[in-house]
Tab-separated table of all heavy atoms in Angstrom:
chain	number	residue	atom	x	y	z
H	50	LEU	N	110.632	281.311	176.471
H	50	LEU	CA	111.045	279.995	176.937
H	50	LEU	C	112.278	280.096	177.821
H	50	LEU	O	112.390	279.429	178.845
H	50	LEU	CB	111.318	279.113	175.724
H	50	LEU	CG	111.726	277.675	176.006
H	50	LEU	CD1	110.686	277.004	176.877
H	50	LEU	CD2	111.918	276.930	174.714
H	51	MET	N	113.187	280.998	177.432
H	51	MET	CA	114.397	281.154	178.230
H	51	MET	C	114.074	281.671	179.619
H	51	MET	O	114.627	281.230	180.604
H	51	MET	CB	115.370	282.111	177.527
H	51	MET	CG	115.935	281.494	176.286
H	51	MET	SD	117.038	282.595	175.464
H	51	MET	CE	118.522	282.257	176.355
H	52	GLN	N	113.115	282.603	179.673
H	52	GLN	CA	112.743	283.130	180.994
H	52	GLN	C	112.145	282.035	181.843
H	52	GLN	O	112.441	281.885	183.012
H	52	GLN	CB	111.729	284.255	180.846
H	52	GLN	CG	112.382	285.517	180.361
H	52	GLN	CD	111.361	286.531	179.951
H	52	GLN	OE1	110.169	286.304	180.118
H	52	GLN	NE2	111.811	287.626	179.420
H	53	ARG	N	111.291	281.239	181.213
H	53	ARG	CA	110.619	280.192	181.967
H	53	ARG	C	111.633	279.186	182.499
H	53	ARG	O	111.544	278.688	183.594
H	53	ARG	CB	109.608	279.494	181.052
H	53	ARG	CG	108.576	278.740	181.818
H	53	ARG	CD	107.539	278.180	180.917
H	53	ARG	NE	106.941	279.203	180.081
H	53	ARG	CZ	106.194	278.920	179.025
H	53	ARG	NH1	105.973	277.690	178.673
H	53	ARG	NH2	105.665	279.885	178.320
H	54	THR	N	112.632	278.924	181.658
H	54	THR	CA	113.646	277.960	182.059
H	54	THR	C	114.428	278.437	183.264
H	54	THR	O	114.616	277.720	184.228
H	54	THR	CB	114.640	277.731	180.901
H	54	THR	OG1	113.882	277.398	179.785
H	54	THR	CG2	115.620	276.647	181.221
H	55	ALA	N	114.849	279.701	183.196
H	55	ALA	CA	115.671	280.219	184.293
H	55	ALA	C	114.877	280.261	185.583
H	55	ALA	O	115.403	280.021	186.657
H	55	ALA	CB	116.189	281.595	183.942
H	56	ALA	N	113.595	280.570	185.488
H	56	ALA	CA	112.780	280.639	186.698
H	56	ALA	C	112.298	279.258	187.079
H	56	ALA	O	111.817	279.044	188.176
H	56	ALA	CB	111.579	281.537	186.459
H	57	SER	N	112.406	278.371	186.199
H	57	SER	CA	112.020	276.973	186.285
H	57	SER	C	110.576	276.727	186.686
H	57	SER	O	109.881	276.008	186.009
H	57	SER	CB	113.061	276.237	187.072
H	57	SER	OG	112.814	275.841	188.236
H	58	SER	N	110.056	277.344	187.719
H	58	SER	CA	108.675	277.028	188.051
H	58	SER	C	107.726	278.198	187.844
H	58	SER	O	106.539	278.028	187.859
H	58	SER	CB	108.602	276.596	189.500
H	58	SER	OG	109.146	277.621	190.276
H	59	SER	N	108.248	279.414	187.669
H	59	SER	CA	107.334	280.545	187.575
H	59	SER	C	106.883	280.755	186.135
H	59	SER	O	107.612	280.464	185.209
H	59	SER	CB	108.015	281.798	188.089
H	59	SER	OG	109.144	282.057	187.308
H	60	PRO	N	105.662	281.283	185.961
H	60	PRO	CA	105.201	281.501	184.602
H	60	PRO	C	106.026	282.582	183.917
H	60	PRO	O	106.535	283.476	184.571
H	60	PRO	CB	103.759	281.978	184.799
H	60	PRO	CG	103.710	282.487	186.198
H	60	PRO	CD	104.754	281.746	186.975
H	61	ALA	N	106.157	282.475	182.618
H	61	ALA	CA	106.940	283.477	181.907
H	61	ALA	C	106.241	284.821	181.956
H	61	ALA	O	105.027	284.901	181.922
H	61	ALA	CB	107.105	283.052	180.457
H	62	ALA	N	107.037	285.870	182.056
H	62	ALA	CA	106.476	287.213	182.112
H	62	ALA	C	106.054	287.659	180.724
H	62	ALA	O	106.619	287.224	179.738
H	62	ALA	CB	107.543	288.158	182.643
H	63	PRO	N	105.052	288.532	180.649
H	63	PRO	CA	104.689	289.066	179.340
H	63	PRO	C	105.828	289.898	178.789
H	63	PRO	O	106.530	290.553	179.538
H	63	PRO	CB	103.478	289.948	179.648
H	63	PRO	CG	103.588	290.268	181.098
H	63	PRO	CD	104.312	289.123	181.734
H	64	VAL	N	106.009	289.854	177.506
H	64	VAL	CA	107.075	290.643	176.900
H	64	VAL	C	106.431	291.761	176.105
H	64	VAL	O	105.687	291.514	175.181
H	64	VAL	CB	107.936	289.773	175.971
H	64	VAL	CG1	109.024	290.609	175.325
H	64	VAL	CG2	108.539	288.631	176.749
H	65	SER	N	106.691	292.991	176.480
H	65	SER	CA	106.110	294.115	175.770
H	65	SER	C	107.066	294.567	174.677
H	65	SER	O	108.090	293.956	174.494
H	65	SER	CB	105.775	295.227	176.754
H	65	SER	OG	106.920	295.916	177.059
H	66	PRO	N	106.734	295.617	173.926
H	66	PRO	CA	107.500	295.922	172.725
H	66	PRO	C	108.998	295.772	172.863
H	66	PRO	O	109.652	295.379	171.945
H	66	PRO	CB	107.138	297.383	172.461
H	66	PRO	CG	105.790	297.541	173.041
H	66	PRO	CD	105.694	296.573	174.183
H	67	ALA	N	109.550	296.124	174.012
H	67	ALA	CA	111.003	295.972	174.100
H	67	ALA	C	111.376	294.956	175.132
H	67	ALA	O	111.428	293.778	174.878
H	67	ALA	CB	111.627	297.290	174.439
H	68	ALA	N	111.580	295.395	176.315
H	68	ALA	CA	112.275	294.535	177.250
H	68	ALA	C	111.558	294.424	178.571
H	68	ALA	O	112.168	294.417	179.601
H	68	ALA	CB	113.656	295.106	177.462
H	69	SER	N	110.250	294.357	178.523
H	69	SER	CA	109.539	294.289	179.780
H	69	SER	C	109.638	292.872	180.287
H	69	SER	O	108.752	292.066	180.105
H	69	SER	CB	108.099	294.672	179.559
H	69	SER	OG	107.530	294.958	180.780
H	70	VAL	N	110.763	292.568	180.863
H	70	VAL	CA	111.024	291.209	181.254
H	70	VAL	C	111.246	291.153	182.751
H	70	VAL	O	112.225	291.628	183.254
H	70	VAL	CB	112.232	290.636	180.493
H	70	VAL	CG1	111.811	290.127	179.148
H	70	VAL	CG2	113.301	291.677	180.333
H	71	SER	N	110.301	290.607	183.441
H	71	SER	CA	110.412	290.561	184.887
H	71	SER	C	109.510	289.469	185.417
H	71	SER	O	108.575	289.077	184.764
H	71	SER	CB	110.024	291.906	185.476
H	71	SER	OG	108.970	292.462	184.759
H	72	GLU	N	109.806	289.004	186.582
H	72	GLU	CA	109.048	287.890	187.115
H	72	GLU	C	109.334	287.704	188.588
H	72	GLU	O	110.316	288.260	189.092
H	72	GLU	CB	109.478	286.631	186.419
H	72	GLU	CG	110.889	286.382	186.857
H	72	GLU	CD	111.513	285.263	186.134
H	72	GLU	OE1	111.890	285.453	184.991
H	72	GLU	OE2	111.611	284.207	186.740
H	73	PRO	N	108.513	286.896	189.280
H	73	PRO	CA	108.844	286.630	190.672
H	73	PRO	C	110.186	285.931	190.711
H	73	PRO	O	110.440	285.032	189.921
H	73	PRO	CB	107.744	285.688	191.151
H	73	PRO	CG	106.725	285.662	190.077
H	73	PRO	CD	107.373	286.162	188.822
H	74	ALA	N	111.045	286.358	191.583
H	74	ALA	CA	112.401	285.834	191.533
H	74	ALA	C	112.632	284.703	192.525
H	74	ALA	O	113.756	284.388	192.846
H	74	ALA	CB	113.395	286.951	191.774
H	75	GLY	N	111.555	284.096	193.005
H	75	GLY	CA	111.735	282.955	193.898
H	75	GLY	C	112.637	281.936	193.251
H	75	GLY	O	113.514	281.346	193.872
H	76	GLY	N	112.429	281.745	191.928
H	76	GLY	CA	113.230	280.777	191.196
H	76	GLY	C	114.654	281.233	191.020
H	76	GLY	O	115.541	280.429	190.868
Side-chain angles (χ1 to χ4, degrees):
L50 182 55
M51 291 179 85
Q52 285 168 5
R53 199 175 306 166
T54 307
S57 108
S58 56
S59 61
V64 179
S65 79
S69 196
V70 277
S71 37
E72 68 187 77

